[in-house]
């Protein structure tokens, strides 16, 4: 009887622990996602209230406003990768990740914004000139650059180093890192697209993208996540 009672109590404790972990995980996802959106609220306000009359200036404004995207996404990936038992809470982890990776992520984001904006300008010219093939190729190039920029994030977050070291490590493992970046972009695009219909995708989407990229980073590179 005592053994049965002890086993029953142990099972109840395990069940409660599993439920708590699940609830904590969902809470961290929601809060991390909310922090990312809060840090980029200016982009949403711009899209809602700015009425573009000049497409060139519109691209320029978007490039400037998007400079905070990579630092905040790096902070999000750092925050969702932290184990609750080791982390200090989703908010503190997010702020810590933002602060630690600000310099490298801002410089990479600036470089990416310049290249993507320049490509968009050229794509617009070829679109007006009805050179559709070149226009499509430039659109694909933009996606490639976006994947490349995102591929640097887990390297920045988990391996640190100077900007040159981060870029070097990214290039050395480029194709494996690109898989995680591509998965993150797909989740992000689906979240934004479906968010017009189901708001739940926006509540979780950005955090899920960061979590998926982080998991693929460790799986594809064969490293242990216990060292986070």
């Amino acid at each position: 009887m005592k053994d049965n009672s002890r086993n029953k109590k142990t099972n109840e404790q395990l069940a409660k622990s599993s439920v708590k972990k699940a609830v904590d995980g969902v809470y961290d996802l929601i809060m991390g996602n909310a922090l990312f959106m809060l840090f980029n609220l200016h982009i949403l306000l711009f899209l809602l209230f700015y009425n573009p009359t000049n497409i060139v200036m519109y691209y320029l404004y978007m490039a400037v406003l998007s400079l905070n995207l990579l630092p905040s996404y790096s902070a999000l990936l750092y925050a969702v990768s932290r184990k609750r038992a080791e982390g200090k809470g989703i908010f503190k982890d997010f702020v810590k990740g933002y602060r630690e990776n600000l310099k490298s992520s801002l410089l990479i984001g600036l470089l990416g914004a310049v290249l993507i904006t320049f490509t968009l300008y050229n794509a617009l010219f070829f679109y007006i000139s009805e050179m559709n093939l070149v226009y499509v190729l430039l659109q694909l190039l933009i996606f490639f650059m976006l994947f490349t920029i995102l591929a640097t994030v887990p390297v920045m977050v988990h391996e640190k180093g100077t900007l040159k070291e981060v870029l070097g490590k990214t290039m050395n493992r480029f194709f494996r890192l690109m898989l995680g970046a591509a998965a993150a972009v797909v989740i992000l695009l689906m979240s934004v697209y479906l968010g017009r219909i189901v708001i739940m995708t926006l509540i979780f989407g950005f955090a899920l993208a960061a979590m998926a990229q982080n998991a693929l980073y460790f799986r594809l590179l064969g490293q242990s996540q216990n060292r986070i």
Side-chain angles (χ1 to χ4, degrees), residues 130-221:
E130 298 185 353
M131 299 176 67
N132 295 329
L133 178 59
V134 179
Y135 173 75
V136 171
L137 290 175
L138 288 177
Q139 295 295 310
L140 293 175
L141 178 60
I142 290 171
F143 275 99
F144 178 79
M145 287 189 288
L146 181 59
F147 292 166
T148 304
I149 293 167
L150 276 183
T152 65
V153 174
V155 178
M156 272 190 291
V157 169
H158 298 307
E159 301 185 40
K160 310 300 181 183
T162 64
L163 177 62
K164 183 179 179 180
E165 290 172 339
V166 168
L167 292 176
K169 290 176 181 178
T170 301
M171 291 301 106
N172 289 337
R173 296 166 291 181
F174 184 72
F175 292 104
R176 283 179 289 176
L177 290 170
M178 282 286 280
L179 291 175
V185 170
V186 170
I187 295 173
L188 288 171
L189 291 177
M190 289 182 63
S191 299
V192 173
Y193 179 78
L194 295 176
R196 300 176 299 173
I197 305 170
V198 183
I199 191 65
M200 190 64 67
T201 60
L202 289 177
I203 296 176
F204 289 99
F206 300 104
L208 284 176
M211 180 176 288
Q213 185 177 9
N214 184 67
L216 283 171
Y217 165 77
F218 285 104
R219 180 177 293 275
L220 295 172
L221 270 66

Side-chain angles (χ1 to χ4, degrees), residues 5-212:
S5 177
R6 189 181 297 111
N7 290 335
K8 182 178 180 181
K9 186 176 181 180
T10 301
N11 291 335
E12 288 177 351
Q13 290 175 342
L14 289 173
K16 288 180 180 179
S17 176
S18 298
V19 171
K20 185 180 183 301
K21 287 181 179 179
V23 172
D24 288 344
V26 172
Y27 173 81
D28 288 346
L29 279 178
I30 294 175
M31 289 304 298
N33 201 81
L35 286 168
F36 176 82
M37 295 178 70
L38 181 63
F39 271 57
N40 294 284
L41 185 60
H42 55 286
I43 297 178
L44 177 61
L45 295 175
F46 175 79
L47 294 173
L48 287 175
F49 297 109
Y50 179 73
N51 186 19
T53 55
N54 186 319
I55 192 65
V56 174
M57 293 305 298
Y58 179 79
Y59 286 159
L60 182 60
Y61 290 150
M62 278 300 299
V64 173
L65 292 175
S66 66
L67 291 179
N68 188 54
L69 278 173
L70 199 64
S72 53
Y73 182 77
S74 301
L76 178 61
L77 189 142
Y78 176 85
V80 300
S81 69
R82 298 283 289 175
K83 292 185 175 67
R84 178 175 277 265
E86 298 175 2
K88 299 179 180 180
I90 192 69
F91 178 79
K92 289 184 178 179
D93 283 337
F94 188 96
V95 173
K96 182 180 178 181
Y98 188 93
R99 185 176 64 250
E100 288 184 355
N101 300 292
L102 177 60
K103 182 178 179 181
S104 294
S105 59
L106 191 61
L107 289 173
I108 293 174
L110 176 60
L111 177 62
V114 170
L115 292 175
I116 290 175
T117 303
F118 178 76
T119 307
L120 281 170
Y121 286 158
N122 284 279
L124 181 62
F125 168 78
F126 290 112
Y127 177 77
I128 295 173
S129 302
E130 298 185 353
M131 299 176 67
N132 295 329
L133 178 59
V134 179
Y135 173 75
V136 171
L137 290 175
L138 288 177
Q139 295 295 310
L140 293 175
L141 178 60
I142 290 171
F143 275 99
F144 178 79
M145 287 189 288
L146 181 59
F147 292 166
T148 304
I149 293 167
L150 276 183
T152 65
V153 174
V155 178
M156 272 190 291
V157 169
H158 298 307
E159 301 185 40
K160 310 300 181 183
T162 64
L163 177 62
K164 183 179 179 180
E165 290 172 339
V166 168
L167 292 176
K169 290 176 181 178
T170 301
M171 291 301 106
N172 289 337
R173 296 166 291 181
F174 184 72
F175 292 104
R176 283 179 289 176
L177 290 170
M178 282 286 280
L179 291 175
V185 170
V186 170
I187 295 173
L188 288 171
L189 291 177
M190 289 182 63
S191 299
V192 173
Y193 179 78
L194 295 176
R196 300 176 299 173
I197 305 170
V198 183
I199 191 65
M200 190 64 67
T201 60
L202 289 177
I203 296 176
F204 289 99
F206 300 104
L208 284 176
M211 180 176 288

